[in-house]
Amino acid sequence: AFAFKWADEQKETTLLEIEWSPSRTGLINPVAVFEPVELEGTSVSRASVHNISIMRSLDLGVGDKILVYKANMIIPQISENLTRSGVRDIPETCPACGGATRIQMMNNVETLYCTNPECPAKFMKAFTLFVSRDAMNIDGMSEATLEKFVGHGFIREFADIFRLDRYRDEIVEMDGFGEKSWQRLWDAIQQSRSTTFEPRLIFGLGILNIGLANARMICKAFDFDLDRIRNASAEDFAQIDGVGEVIAKSIVDYFADEENKERLERLLSYLTIEKPQASQEEQKLAGLTFVITGSVEHFPNRNALKARIEELGGKATGSVTGKTSYLINNDTTSSSSKNRKARELGVPVISEEEFLKMTEE
């Protein structure tokens, strides 16, 4: 038996800088940035070095002549350092937050960590939620893009997203960006600044235990008045149907925190939030509770169907219980867990067509 392996294509280039990239775990990863070379048909200019131990084994310093290749013809790597000038300038502060760094030894591997528990890089999930479709809906602001901006210290709080133009020149020069990419992103950011859907903002803040459905209920209960929401007591929230003590405490604690208050004020200075017009439609679904499962055909997505239910006075929840009025599933005969649960509880299973007929009668 014979096994063959193609020899890796290697190219010599010059190391221009070591970029330190913070992650949500607190780890700060070194990334080698070098003069672009063609490898396996594409231009390559960056390669992860993973940790300080690997840097030391390569004696890697800016200006060194290095050999690079693509592991498995995909992942850029440094195979050899031809000049070995030595490791230097390991940052003493985190590029994302300016907090102190610390070199840690774990399993005989040296790594660099940010010691600041409030480092924005550790809250990537919060930023990702904030820009998502159900929140501020900033098209083009992917998690990978957020990681780059947070890692460079461009974004430290939500408000920073709306003043990214301060770093326009640096962003245009970043790998994967250019004038057109920047302009598309900036246009999307500007578009998101004006919203009439206040639940998007409440949901986007990432308050513990507050989902989009809860955010809608809360905003509706307080007549879409953000000041009333910010100043309400736990007892006020607990009176809302579907909001218990845990959720009430979460939202009160969030707005009681002075730092959260200051960050929210800075964010609001960039937003235009108009109170939604009260629906003139008859509240045909008042007192009814719906659960939606499966794919939808007459609405863009399930969230749009939920919004329609709430516009007509109904409630949309995630689980089938004895309080559920209808389960909406276009496959009414399926043996899914929700369909089985509905049959056990005597909850009618209806299709979208049947739901639409119900609302048009």
Side-chain angles (χ1 to χ4, degrees), residues 41 68-69 75 78 82 84 93 110 119 137 152 154 162 193 200 204 208 220 222 263 297 307 311 337 350:
V68 295
Y69 72 104
I75 304 170
I78 298 174
L82 303 176
R84 305 181 76 89
T93 58
E110 274 188 298
C119 178
N137 192 26
H152 280 78
F154 299 164
F162 300 96
R193 289 178 57 182
R200 288 185 181 274
L208 187 66
K220 191 173 180 180
F222 287 94
R263 288 176 176 172
E297 299 168 359
E311 282 175 8
S337 60
I350 62 173

Side-chain angles (χ1 to χ4, degrees), residues 16 31 79 119 126 167 180 217 278 315 344 347:
L16 300 177
V31 178
S79 61
C119 178
Y167 304 103
K180 289 184 178 179
M217 287 190 293
K315 184 194 299 185
E344 289 171 8
V347 174

